[in-house]
Structures are given as C-alpha cells and as structure tokens.
Amino acid sequence: MSPHGRRSNRPYEIVERALALSRADGCVVIAEEHSGVNLRWAGNALTTNGTARGRTVTVVATVDGAEGTASGVVSRSAVTALDLEPLVRAAEAAARDAGPAEDARPLVAGGEPAAGFTDDPAETSSDVFAAFAPALGESFRQARAGGRELYGFAQHTVVSSYLGSSTGLRLRHDQPTGTLELNAKSPDRTRSAWAGRATRDFADTDPRELDAELARRLGWAERRVELPAGRHDTLLPPSAVADLLVYQQWSATARDAAEGRTVFSKAGGGQGAARTRIGDRLAALPLTLRSDPAAPGLECAPFVLAHSSGADASVFDNGLPLAATDWVREGVLDRLVATRHGAALTGLPVAPAVDNLLLEGGGSQTLDAMVAAAGHDGPTLLLTCLWYIREVDPATLLLTGLTRDGVYLVEHGEVTGAVNNFRFNESPVDLLGRAVAAGRTERTLSREWGDYFPRTAMPPLRVPDFNMSSVSPGV
C-alpha cells in the first residue's frame, strides 16, 4: 500500500490534495473517472466485447503578474496521489512561462459543496447490456433468416467529473452516454443501410426494431435508379439534420462573429454586437435551436468543464453555471456562444456552450408521414445520413461531404428505389432558411459527430433544392 493509503486515490481526495499542493495564485482541478463497456459484431455474430477504466486529471494554475494573469493547463491520465505534485508543478511552470492570458477573469466563486462530491464515482458495467445483448442475438437470427448481414457496435460510458478550485468550488457531475450504430448489408455488398441511436442506459434501445427498419431500406434498394447531380427536393432525416447543425453550433461563437470571420458576422462593418447577426431571421419556419442541461433524456453537465481556452471556452470559466439557452428562437438568431471574455469583447450576454442541442418548433409529422406527402410534384430524395463533412468556407459555413448508406427516391408518396450517392455542398444556415417543412423532433445520433456530440434531438426537414454537386461512387 502506498504511503498515502487507498483512500487518497478517491477522486475527491485527488482534487483536495492537488489544491493543497498548489503554490499558484489560483488553481482549478478536474478529476474525471471513466468507465466503459462495448460490444462489436460483424456478419451476424459478436466479435469482441470489452471493458475499460481510467482517470484523467487536469490542473489549471493561474499566476498573477504585473501585466496580467497567466494560466497553465496540464492534463494527464492514469494519475494517482503519488503523481499529483509533478502534475501541479508542471501546470504552475506552464503558467509562469506563459504571457498574460487574454481571457483571464477571476475564478468562479465557490458555494456549498455539490451533493455526492465525496462519494465514489458512478460506473457502468456489462449489466447495462443485460436486455440489449439477448435482443441483439435475436436480431442476428432475424437478419440471417432475411438474407442480410449486420455489422456495428454498442458502447456505454460513464464519466464522473469532480471539479474543485482554490475559490471554494466543489462540483460533481455523472455523465452516462450510450450509442448504438447498426449497418445492414446485402450478402453481395451492393446494398447497405445504417441506423444509429443515442441512449443513457440502453433500456430504451431495441436492436430488433432497428434491424426491421434496415430490412425495409434494403428492400427499397432492390430497385436501383441512376440520378444526375443537381438541386433536388430532399428530405433530411433527424440524423442528417444533426450532422449539419452540430457543426453549425461549433461555429457559432460570439467572438469570431464579432471579428467578422463567420457566417454569423454582419456584412458592412460595425463593432462588437453590431458586427454580429443577432436579431436576424435565419429560418423561415418558427424553429428554435436550443440547449438545456436538464433536457429530458439528454441531460448533461450543468456547469462549465473547460480543459483549454479558445473562442468557445475559457479555463477561467470552470464551474460557471449553465442554463437553458435559445440559440435560434422561432427562426431568429438570439444567442452566440460567449465566454465571459467573449461577452466582454462583444457586448453580448455570457452564453457558455452546453453539451446538448435540440431543434424544435416543427410539426407533428413523422418522417414516414413526410415521405407520404412528398414526391407528388416531381421526384424527392430521402437521405439516410451524411459523411466525411468538411468546411469549405467559414464566411458562409459552406460544408461539403458525402451521402452514405442509402439515398432513396420518393415518387407520389412512396419510396420507389435507391439512387446513387452524391457529394453535397451546402451551408446549414442556408438550409434552415430554405426549409419548407419540419416534422416531429426526436432524439437522434449524428453519424459524423456522434462520437463527440451524442446528445441531440432534431426533426426531419424538407429542403426543396438541396445541392448535390456531383455523383459519388460507393454504396
């Protein structure tokens, strides 16, 4: 046993000991305990399963000087109590070597310690798959009997974050995250379909339902239609809408907009808030894009956890309370992501980033109902998801990427076949402005960004002139 004993490795004691070791003018410590389990499968059979445990400790040291306050941030994994002093000293050295931090602000003041701050971290285990795994086995049997092959993976993680500061903060948050991605393929690999789900505990996730949906899509793809590139009437499912709006939200920082560098900058000059498009109508439909740490099923940390500083986050804001925030309210741009520093620069309200995103305000129609209403005035495309999304022009937020795992043709209210894949060129901001119909909001998983941002709820959208810029090979 170490000279510090077993208890000194408990996460809250790691935080307290690191704070006690600090010689800096200010200090923030974030200890994060990770646990995870996963299943992987291919060709209708499990291939691997695994578990993982880990810890990451981040120390933010602040040092006051004649010209301002500097900060130094060091993060390391697999940290025990014996590793803390070198870690704290490294953060302090980084702060002393750095110049004054432009985002320096007084550290957030503490209050009463959060409930459970001294409790052991939450953990996940293979028990989370107790009902899911047998259902997955049944899905394999269904797929085998139906002549299709299933590939994919499911993972569940729990991260317990303990945040302490020299100003008295003692905060804690337990974040469960589950994702399921399922691919169905025809045996000859000419047809493929994908579905994904996000969940907190897998109690609400049935792979048999997803397999049934994928079987329907593979059936649609038995008829193949070649379609040229061009602007097409298109139905975007919630997953594809999340693919686009998550990237939009990552680009919606107040400082960058006020400096004239983003799609949220107003043309023609001005300074600060006047240089931004706050107050501009972005969507013709009364859509609201918002975040809320307490959103049911999408709950996330109710305070800032910042491991580095940038336009969208500041280590000096660690522990700042988060609240429900409307980014776009009934179609009008209402907020941009602003740290305390960004708010002071721009004159806009402080609005820290939140780890979930919801688009609401559409109708009650399901995607199936929107399909039934489409294709009566000419062909409509129904996408599955988007892939390999990259930014082309930050000034317009023009993105490019590929369709993947199913682009279907809708004629007279019915899916009549699958068409070739495309490369697209579109801006999510423009798409919001051109969308003519929105359906029912539902929890969804972005195909491209779901590993980084899994907590989303989006409606399907209908866009009359989605720009498919070229035909792309691939299934």
PDB file of all heavy atoms in Angstrom, residues 142-175:
ATOM      1  N   GLN A 142     -32.860 -12.909 -36.910  1.00  0.00           N
ATOM      2  CA  GLN A 142     -33.777 -12.285 -37.880  1.00  0.00           C
ATOM      3  C   GLN A 142     -33.053 -11.959 -39.180  1.00  0.00           C
ATOM      4  O   GLN A 142     -33.554 -12.208 -40.277  1.00  0.00           O
ATOM      5  CB  GLN A 142     -34.347 -10.985 -37.300  1.00  0.00           C
ATOM      6  CG  GLN A 142     -35.410 -11.137 -36.250  1.00  0.00           C
ATOM      7  CD  GLN A 142     -35.926  -9.795 -35.753  1.00  0.00           C
ATOM      8  OE1 GLN A 142     -36.764  -9.728 -34.880  1.00  0.00           O
ATOM      9  NE2 GLN A 142     -35.433  -8.701 -36.313  1.00  0.00           N
ATOM     10  N   ALA A 143     -31.876 -11.371 -39.023  1.00  0.00           N
ATOM     11  CA  ALA A 143     -31.131 -10.939 -40.202  1.00  0.00           C
ATOM     12  C   ALA A 143     -30.692 -12.132 -41.039  1.00  0.00           C
ATOM     13  O   ALA A 143     -30.786 -12.120 -42.283  1.00  0.00           O
ATOM     14  CB  ALA A 143     -29.920 -10.119 -39.766  1.00  0.00           C
ATOM     15  N   ARG A 144     -30.224 -13.161 -40.369  1.00  0.00           N
ATOM     16  CA  ARG A 144     -29.770 -14.362 -41.096  1.00  0.00           C
ATOM     17  C   ARG A 144     -30.926 -14.966 -41.888  1.00  0.00           C
ATOM     18  O   ARG A 144     -30.769 -15.319 -43.073  1.00  0.00           O
ATOM     19  CB  ARG A 144     -29.204 -15.372 -40.087  1.00  0.00           C
ATOM     20  CG  ARG A 144     -28.332 -16.451 -40.692  1.00  0.00           C
ATOM     21  CD  ARG A 144     -27.714 -17.331 -39.604  1.00  0.00           C
ATOM     22  NE  ARG A 144     -26.835 -16.576 -38.722  1.00  0.00           N
ATOM     23  CZ  ARG A 144     -27.070 -16.344 -37.432  1.00  0.00           C
ATOM     24  NH1 ARG A 144     -28.170 -16.822 -36.867  1.00  0.00           N
ATOM     25  NH2 ARG A 144     -26.217 -15.661 -36.714  1.00  0.00           N
ATOM     26  N   ALA A 145     -32.088 -15.038 -41.252  1.00  0.00           N
ATOM     27  CA  ALA A 145     -33.257 -15.603 -41.939  1.00  0.00           C
ATOM     28  C   ALA A 145     -33.707 -14.717 -43.089  1.00  0.00           C
ATOM     29  O   ALA A 145     -34.274 -15.207 -44.081  1.00  0.00           O
ATOM     30  CB  ALA A 145     -34.394 -15.782 -40.925  1.00  0.00           C
ATOM     31  N   GLY A 146     -33.453 -13.396 -42.966  1.00  0.00           N
ATOM     32  CA  GLY A 146     -33.889 -12.457 -44.004  1.00  0.00           C
ATOM     33  C   GLY A 146     -32.852 -12.207 -45.072  1.00  0.00           C
ATOM     34  O   GLY A 146     -33.068 -11.353 -45.952  1.00  0.00           O
ATOM     35  N   GLY A 147     -31.705 -12.888 -44.996  1.00  0.00           N
ATOM     36  CA  GLY A 147     -30.692 -12.741 -46.039  1.00  0.00           C
ATOM     37  C   GLY A 147     -29.924 -11.447 -45.974  1.00  0.00           C
ATOM     38  O   GLY A 147     -29.574 -10.869 -47.010  1.00  0.00           O
ATOM     39  N   ARG A 148     -29.644 -10.957 -44.800  1.00  0.00           N
ATOM     40  CA  ARG A 148     -28.831  -9.738 -44.654  1.00  0.00           C
ATOM     41  C   ARG A 148     -27.820  -9.963 -43.528  1.00  0.00           C
ATOM     42  O   ARG A 148     -27.988 -10.848 -42.687  1.00  0.00           O
ATOM     43  CB  ARG A 148     -29.699  -8.514 -44.351  1.00  0.00           C
ATOM     44  CG  ARG A 148     -30.583  -8.654 -43.141  1.00  0.00           C
ATOM     45  CD  ARG A 148     -31.579  -7.509 -43.015  1.00  0.00           C
ATOM     46  NE  ARG A 148     -32.443  -7.745 -41.850  1.00  0.00           N
ATOM     47  CZ  ARG A 148     -33.512  -8.521 -41.870  1.00  0.00           C
ATOM     48  NH1 ARG A 148     -33.868  -9.129 -42.988  1.00  0.00           N
ATOM     49  NH2 ARG A 148     -34.229  -8.708 -40.774  1.00  0.00           N
ATOM     50  N   GLU A 149     -26.793  -9.134 -43.528  1.00  0.00           N
ATOM     51  CA  GLU A 149     -25.729  -9.250 -42.531  1.00  0.00           C
ATOM     52  C   GLU A 149     -25.672  -7.964 -41.712  1.00  0.00           C
ATOM     53  O   GLU A 149     -25.747  -6.861 -42.266  1.00  0.00           O
ATOM     54  CB  GLU A 149     -24.388  -9.504 -43.226  1.00  0.00           C
ATOM     55  CG  GLU A 149     -24.348 -10.833 -43.978  1.00  0.00           C
ATOM     56  CD  GLU A 149     -23.032 -11.026 -44.702  1.00  0.00           C
ATOM     57  OE1 GLU A 149     -22.246 -10.042 -44.793  1.00  0.00           O
ATOM     58  OE2 GLU A 149     -22.773 -12.148 -45.170  1.00  0.00           O
ATOM     59  N   LEU A 150     -25.507  -8.128 -40.400  1.00  0.00           N
ATOM     60  CA  LEU A 150     -25.450  -6.976 -39.505  1.00  0.00           C
ATOM     61  C   LEU A 150     -24.019  -6.754 -39.031  1.00  0.00           C
ATOM     62  O   LEU A 150     -23.313  -7.698 -38.657  1.00  0.00           O
ATOM     63  CB  LEU A 150     -26.366  -7.195 -38.293  1.00  0.00           C
ATOM     64  CG  LEU A 150     -27.858  -7.327 -38.580  1.00  0.00           C
ATOM     65  CD1 LEU A 150     -28.627  -7.490 -37.271  1.00  0.00           C
ATOM     66  CD2 LEU A 150     -28.391  -6.140 -39.375  1.00  0.00           C
ATOM     67  N   TYR A 151     -23.629  -5.487 -39.033  1.00  0.00           N
ATOM     68  CA  TYR A 151     -22.324  -5.047 -38.529  1.00  0.00           C
ATOM     69  C   TYR A 151     -22.573  -3.860 -37.595  1.00  0.00           C
ATOM     70  O   TYR A 151     -23.511  -3.092 -37.804  1.00  0.00           O
ATOM     71  CB  TYR A 151     -21.405  -4.597 -39.671  1.00  0.00           C
ATOM     72  CG  TYR A 151     -21.092  -5.695 -40.655  1.00  0.00           C
ATOM     73  CD1 TYR A 151     -22.023  -6.060 -41.631  1.00  0.00           C
ATOM     74  CD2 TYR A 151     -19.882  -6.370 -40.614  1.00  0.00           C
ATOM     75  CE1 TYR A 151     -21.747  -7.071 -42.540  1.00  0.00           C
ATOM     76  CE2 TYR A 151     -19.597  -7.377 -41.521  1.00  0.00           C
ATOM     77  CZ  TYR A 151     -20.523  -7.730 -42.478  1.00  0.00           C
ATOM     78  OH  TYR A 151     -20.246  -8.740 -43.372  1.00  0.00           O
ATOM     79  N   GLY A 152     -21.718  -3.691 -36.600  1.00  0.00           N
ATOM     80  CA  GLY A 152     -21.897  -2.494 -35.777  1.00  0.00           C
ATOM     81  C   GLY A 152     -21.258  -2.611 -34.417  1.00  0.00           C
ATOM     82  O   GLY A 152     -20.480  -3.543 -34.142  1.00  0.00           O
ATOM     83  N   PHE A 153     -21.579  -1.681 -33.576  1.00  0.00           N
ATOM     84  CA  PHE A 153     -21.063  -1.692 -32.219  1.00  0.00           C
ATOM     85  C   PHE A 153     -21.981  -0.898 -31.306  1.00  0.00           C
ATOM     86  O   PHE A 153     -22.721  -0.018 -31.741  1.00  0.00           O
ATOM     87  CB  PHE A 153     -19.632  -1.145 -32.144  1.00  0.00           C
ATOM     88  CG  PHE A 153     -19.502   0.306 -32.511  1.00  0.00           C
ATOM     89  CD1 PHE A 153     -19.492   1.291 -31.531  1.00  0.00           C
ATOM     90  CD2 PHE A 153     -19.379   0.700 -33.832  1.00  0.00           C
ATOM     91  CE1 PHE A 153     -19.360   2.627 -31.864  1.00  0.00           C
ATOM     92  CE2 PHE A 153     -19.260   2.036 -34.173  1.00  0.00           C
ATOM     93  CZ  PHE A 153     -19.247   2.999 -33.194  1.00  0.00           C
ATOM     94  N   ALA A 154     -21.910  -1.257 -30.042  1.00  0.00           N
ATOM     95  CA  ALA A 154     -22.640  -0.540 -28.993  1.00  0.00           C
ATOM     96  C   ALA A 154     -21.648  -0.236 -27.891  1.00  0.00           C
ATOM     97  O   ALA A 154     -20.805  -1.076 -27.548  1.00  0.00           O
ATOM     98  CB  ALA A 154     -23.786  -1.390 -28.462  1.00  0.00           C
ATOM     99  N   GLN A 155     -21.729   0.941 -27.343  1.00  0.00           N
ATOM    100  CA  GLN A 155     -20.829   1.281 -26.243  1.00  0.00           C
ATOM    101  C   GLN A 155     -21.565   2.121 -25.216  1.00  0.00           C
ATOM    102  O   GLN A 155     -22.478   2.879 -25.540  1.00  0.00           O
ATOM    103  CB  GLN A 155     -19.602   2.021 -26.757  1.00  0.00           C
ATOM    104  CG  GLN A 155     -19.881   3.299 -27.512  1.00  0.00           C
ATOM    105  CD  GLN A 155     -18.612   3.921 -28.073  1.00  0.00           C
ATOM    106  OE1 GLN A 155     -17.504   3.427 -27.826  1.00  0.00           O
ATOM    107  NE2 GLN A 155     -18.745   4.990 -28.818  1.00  0.00           N
ATOM    108  N   HIS A 156     -21.150   1.953 -23.982  1.00  0.00           N
ATOM    109  CA  HIS A 156     -21.727   2.730 -22.887  1.00  0.00           C
ATOM    110  C   HIS A 156     -20.594   3.191 -21.986  1.00  0.00           C
ATOM    111  O   HIS A 156     -19.725   2.405 -21.609  1.00  0.00           O
ATOM    112  CB  HIS A 156     -22.716   1.886 -22.080  1.00  0.00           C
ATOM    113  CG  HIS A 156     -23.501   2.676 -21.092  1.00  0.00           C
ATOM    114  ND1 HIS A 156     -23.251   2.624 -19.727  1.00  0.00           N
ATOM    115  CD2 HIS A 156     -24.512   3.569 -21.252  1.00  0.00           C
ATOM    116  CE1 HIS A 156     -24.093   3.434 -19.108  1.00  0.00           C
ATOM    117  NE2 HIS A 156     -24.875   4.022 -19.995  1.00  0.00           N
ATOM    118  N   THR A 157     -20.588   4.473 -21.704  1.00  0.00           N
ATOM    119  CA  THR A 157     -19.565   5.038 -20.825  1.00  0.00           C
ATOM    120  C   THR A 157     -20.226   5.853 -19.729  1.00  0.00           C
ATOM    121  O   THR A 157     -21.333   6.379 -19.903  1.00  0.00           O
ATOM    122  CB  THR A 157     -18.589   5.952 -21.594  1.00  0.00           C
ATOM    123  OG1 THR A 157     -19.329   7.056 -22.140  1.00  0.00           O
ATOM    124  CG2 THR A 157     -17.902   5.211 -22.731  1.00  0.00           C
ATOM    125  N   VAL A 158     -19.548   5.947 -18.621  1.00  0.00           N
ATOM    126  CA  VAL A 158     -19.942   6.861 -17.552  1.00  0.00           C
ATOM    127  C   VAL A 158     -18.692   7.638 -17.149  1.00  0.00           C
ATOM    128  O   VAL A 158     -17.635   7.042 -16.874  1.00  0.00           O
ATOM    129  CB  VAL A 158     -20.517   6.121 -16.332  1.00  0.00           C
ATOM    130  CG1 VAL A 158     -20.763   7.105 -15.186  1.00  0.00           C
ATOM    131  CG2 VAL A 158     -21.823   5.429 -16.698  1.00  0.00           C
ATOM    132  N   VAL A 159     -18.808   8.933 -17.154  1.00  0.00           N
ATOM    133  CA  VAL A 159     -17.720   9.804 -16.710  1.00  0.00           C
ATOM    134  C   VAL A 159     -18.205  10.591 -15.504  1.00  0.00           C
ATOM    135  O   VAL A 159     -19.196  11.324 -15.588  1.00  0.00           O
ATOM    136  CB  VAL A 159     -17.274  10.768 -17.830  1.00  0.00           C
ATOM    137  CG1 VAL A 159     -16.146  11.674 -17.316  1.00  0.00           C
ATOM    138  CG2 VAL A 159     -16.805   9.993 -19.055  1.00  0.00           C
ATOM    139  N   SER A 160     -17.530  10.414 -14.383  1.00  0.00           N
ATOM    140  CA  SER A 160     -17.820  11.204 -13.185  1.00  0.00           C
ATOM    141  C   SER A 160     -16.769  12.300 -13.085  1.00  0.00           C
ATOM    142  O   SER A 160     -15.570  12.019 -12.995  1.00  0.00           O
ATOM    143  CB  SER A 160     -17.791  10.330 -11.931  1.00  0.00           C
ATOM    144  OG  SER A 160     -18.873   9.429 -11.939  1.00  0.00           O
ATOM    145  N   SER A 161     -17.224  13.548 -13.139  1.00  0.00           N
ATOM    146  CA  SER A 161     -16.321  14.703 -13.117  1.00  0.00           C
ATOM    147  C   SER A 161     -16.390  15.375 -11.754  1.00  0.00           C
ATOM    148  O   SER A 161     -17.477  15.726 -11.280  1.00  0.00           O
ATOM    149  CB  SER A 161     -16.711  15.699 -14.211  1.00  0.00           C
ATOM    150  OG  SER A 161     -16.632  15.096 -15.480  1.00  0.00           O
ATOM    151  N   TYR A 162     -15.218  15.561 -11.149  1.00  0.00           N
ATOM    152  CA  TYR A 162     -15.103  16.258  -9.870  1.00  0.00           C
ATOM    153  C   TYR A 162     -14.291  17.530 -10.133  1.00  0.00           C
ATOM    154  O   TYR A 162     -13.165  17.465 -10.627  1.00  0.00           O
ATOM    155  CB  TYR A 162     -14.370  15.401  -8.846  1.00  0.00           C
ATOM    156  CG  TYR A 162     -15.068  14.119  -8.471  1.00  0.00           C
ATOM    157  CD1 TYR A 162     -15.074  13.021  -9.342  1.00  0.00           C
ATOM    158  CD2 TYR A 162     -15.689  13.978  -7.233  1.00  0.00           C
ATOM    159  CE1 TYR A 162     -15.695  11.839  -8.988  1.00  0.00           C
ATOM    160  CE2 TYR A 162     -16.315  12.791  -6.869  1.00  0.00           C
ATOM    161  CZ  TYR A 162     -16.316  11.726  -7.750  1.00  0.00           C
ATOM    162  OH  TYR A 162     -16.933  10.553  -7.400  1.00  0.00           O
ATOM    163  N   LEU A 163     -14.880  18.668  -9.818  1.00  0.00           N
ATOM    164  CA  LEU A 163     -14.205  19.945 -10.052  1.00  0.00           C
ATOM    165  C   LEU A 163     -14.041  20.672  -8.723  1.00  0.00           C
ATOM    166  O   LEU A 163     -15.017  20.870  -7.980  1.00  0.00           O
ATOM    167  CB  LEU A 163     -15.015  20.803 -11.031  1.00  0.00           C
ATOM    168  CG  LEU A 163     -14.393  22.131 -11.498  1.00  0.00           C
ATOM    169  CD1 LEU A 163     -14.928  22.507 -12.887  1.00  0.00           C
ATOM    170  CD2 LEU A 163     -14.687  23.283 -10.530  1.00  0.00           C
ATOM    171  N   GLY A 164     -12.816  21.059  -8.417  1.00  0.00           N
ATOM    172  CA  GLY A 164     -12.550  21.861  -7.223  1.00  0.00           C
ATOM    173  C   GLY A 164     -11.674  23.045  -7.579  1.00  0.00           C
ATOM    174  O   GLY A 164     -10.921  23.007  -8.555  1.00  0.00           O
ATOM    175  N   SER A 165     -11.794  24.113  -6.819  1.00  0.00           N
ATOM    176  CA  SER A 165     -10.986  25.299  -7.111  1.00  0.00           C
ATOM    177  C   SER A 165     -10.497  25.928  -5.820  1.00  0.00           C
ATOM    178  O   SER A 165     -11.045  25.694  -4.727  1.00  0.00           O
ATOM    179  CB  SER A 165     -11.804  26.323  -7.904  1.00  0.00           C
ATOM    180  OG  SER A 165     -12.727  26.983  -7.064  1.00  0.00           O
ATOM    181  N   SER A 166      -9.485  26.763  -5.965  1.00  0.00           N
ATOM    182  CA  SER A 166      -8.959  27.479  -4.808  1.00  0.00           C
ATOM    183  C   SER A 166      -9.936  28.537  -4.313  1.00  0.00           C
ATOM    184  O   SER A 166      -9.746  29.106  -3.241  1.00  0.00           O
ATOM    185  CB  SER A 166      -7.618  28.138  -5.182  1.00  0.00           C
ATOM    186  OG  SER A 166      -7.778  28.962  -6.325  1.00  0.00           O
ATOM    187  N   THR A 167     -10.977  28.807  -5.089  1.00  0.00           N
ATOM    188  CA  THR A 167     -12.016  29.745  -4.650  1.00  0.00           C
ATOM    189  C   THR A 167     -13.190  29.029  -4.001  1.00  0.00           C
ATOM    190  O   THR A 167     -14.228  29.641  -3.760  1.00  0.00           O
ATOM    191  CB  THR A 167     -12.510  30.578  -5.851  1.00  0.00           C
ATOM    192  OG1 THR A 167     -12.861  29.692  -6.925  1.00  0.00           O
ATOM    193  CG2 THR A 167     -11.448  31.555  -6.313  1.00  0.00           C
ATOM    194  N   GLY A 168     -13.043  27.746  -3.754  1.00  0.00           N
ATOM    195  CA  GLY A 168     -14.039  27.032  -2.954  1.00  0.00           C
ATOM    196  C   GLY A 168     -15.048  26.210  -3.726  1.00  0.00           C
ATOM    197  O   GLY A 168     -15.926  25.599  -3.112  1.00  0.00           O
ATOM    198  N   LEU A 169     -14.960  26.147  -5.041  1.00  0.00           N
ATOM    199  CA  LEU A 169     -15.886  25.302  -5.808  1.00  0.00           C
ATOM    200  C   LEU A 169     -15.655  23.837  -5.472  1.00  0.00           C
ATOM    201  O   LEU A 169     -14.515  23.368  -5.413  1.00  0.00           O
ATOM    202  CB  LEU A 169     -15.679  25.503  -7.308  1.00  0.00           C
ATOM    203  CG  LEU A 169     -16.209  26.763  -7.964  1.00  0.00           C
ATOM    204  CD1 LEU A 169     -15.779  26.803  -9.422  1.00  0.00           C
ATOM    205  CD2 LEU A 169     -17.724  26.832  -7.859  1.00  0.00           C
ATOM    206  N   ARG A 170     -16.735  23.119  -5.286  1.00  0.00           N
ATOM    207  CA  ARG A 170     -16.684  21.664  -5.141  1.00  0.00           C
ATOM    208  C   ARG A 170     -17.898  21.119  -5.883  1.00  0.00           C
ATOM    209  O   ARG A 170     -18.987  21.009  -5.341  1.00  0.00           O
ATOM    210  CB  ARG A 170     -16.713  21.255  -3.662  1.00  0.00           C
ATOM    211  CG  ARG A 170     -15.526  21.729  -2.847  1.00  0.00           C
ATOM    212  CD  ARG A 170     -14.212  21.099  -3.294  1.00  0.00           C
ATOM    213  NE  ARG A 170     -13.106  21.480  -2.413  1.00  0.00           N
ATOM    214  CZ  ARG A 170     -12.347  22.559  -2.578  1.00  0.00           C
ATOM    215  NH1 ARG A 170     -12.578  23.383  -3.606  1.00  0.00           N
ATOM    216  NH2 ARG A 170     -11.371  22.831  -1.734  1.00  0.00           N
ATOM    217  N   LEU A 171     -17.718  20.777  -7.155  1.00  0.00           N
ATOM    218  CA  LEU A 171     -18.820  20.366  -8.026  1.00  0.00           C
ATOM    219  C   LEU A 171     -18.585  18.958  -8.541  1.00  0.00           C
ATOM    220  O   LEU A 171     -17.447  18.511  -8.674  1.00  0.00           O
ATOM    221  CB  LEU A 171     -18.944  21.331  -9.216  1.00  0.00           C
ATOM    222  CG  LEU A 171     -19.208  22.806  -8.864  1.00  0.00           C
ATOM    223  CD1 LEU A 171     -19.157  23.675 -10.117  1.00  0.00           C
ATOM    224  CD2 LEU A 171     -20.540  22.960  -8.155  1.00  0.00           C
ATOM    225  N   ARG A 172     -19.690  18.304  -8.886  1.00  0.00           N
ATOM    226  CA  ARG A 172     -19.590  16.943  -9.409  1.00  0.00           C
ATOM    227  C   ARG A 172     -20.709  16.716 -10.417  1.00  0.00           C
ATOM    228  O   ARG A 172     -21.825  17.215 -10.258  1.00  0.00           O
ATOM    229  CB  ARG A 172     -19.747  15.920  -8.280  1.00  0.00           C
ATOM    230  CG  ARG A 172     -19.847  14.478  -8.809  1.00  0.00           C
ATOM    231  CD  ARG A 172     -20.192  13.485  -7.743  1.00  0.00           C
ATOM    232  NE  ARG A 172     -20.393  12.158  -8.342  1.00  0.00           N
ATOM    233  CZ  ARG A 172     -20.208  11.028  -7.719  1.00  0.00           C
ATOM    234  NH1 ARG A 172     -19.800  11.045  -6.447  1.00  0.00           N
ATOM    235  NH2 ARG A 172     -20.427   9.877  -8.320  1.00  0.00           N
ATOM    236  N   HIS A 173     -20.390  15.936 -11.466  1.00  0.00           N
ATOM    237  CA  HIS A 173     -21.417  15.543 -12.436  1.00  0.00           C
ATOM    238  C   HIS A 173     -21.115  14.136 -12.935  1.00  0.00           C
ATOM    239  O   HIS A 173     -19.970  13.833 -13.270  1.00  0.00           O
ATOM    240  CB  HIS A 173     -21.464  16.502 -13.621  1.00  0.00           C
ATOM    241  CG  HIS A 173     -22.449  16.082 -14.673  1.00  0.00           C
ATOM    242  ND1 HIS A 173     -23.812  16.158 -14.483  1.00  0.00           N
ATOM    243  CD2 HIS A 173     -22.275  15.558 -15.919  1.00  0.00           C
ATOM    244  CE1 HIS A 173     -24.431  15.708 -15.551  1.00  0.00           C
ATOM    245  NE2 HIS A 173     -23.526  15.336 -16.440  1.00  0.00           N
ATOM    246  N   ASP A 174     -22.151  13.298 -12.996  1.00  0.00           N
ATOM    247  CA  ASP A 174     -22.044  11.953 -13.567  1.00  0.00           C
ATOM    248  C   ASP A 174     -22.720  11.950 -14.931  1.00  0.00           C
ATOM    249  O   ASP A 174     -23.906  12.269 -15.039  1.00  0.00           O
ATOM    250  CB  ASP A 174     -22.726  10.921 -12.660  1.00  0.00           C
ATOM    251  CG  ASP A 174     -22.068  10.828 -11.291  1.00  0.00           C
ATOM    252  OD1 ASP A 174     -20.839  10.945 -11.217  1.00  0.00           O
ATOM    253  OD2 ASP A 174     -22.809  10.654 -10.298  1.00  0.00           O
ATOM    254  N   GLN A 175     -21.960  11.589 -15.968  1.00  0.00           N
ATOM    255  CA  GLN A 175     -22.494  11.632 -17.330  1.00  0.00           C
ATOM    256  C   GLN A 175     -22.508  10.252 -17.970  1.00  0.00           C
ATOM    257  O   GLN A 175     -21.471   9.750 -18.412  1.00  0.00           O
ATOM    258  CB  GLN A 175     -21.660  12.572 -18.203  1.00  0.00           C
ATOM    259  CG  GLN A 175     -22.202  12.746 -19.615  1.00  0.00           C
ATOM    260  CD  GLN A 175     -23.552  13.415 -19.615  1.00  0.00           C
ATOM    261  OE1 GLN A 175     -23.665  14.582 -19.277  1.00  0.00           O
ATOM    262  NE2 GLN A 175     -24.592  12.671 -19.971  1.00  0.00           N
TER     263      GLN A 175
END
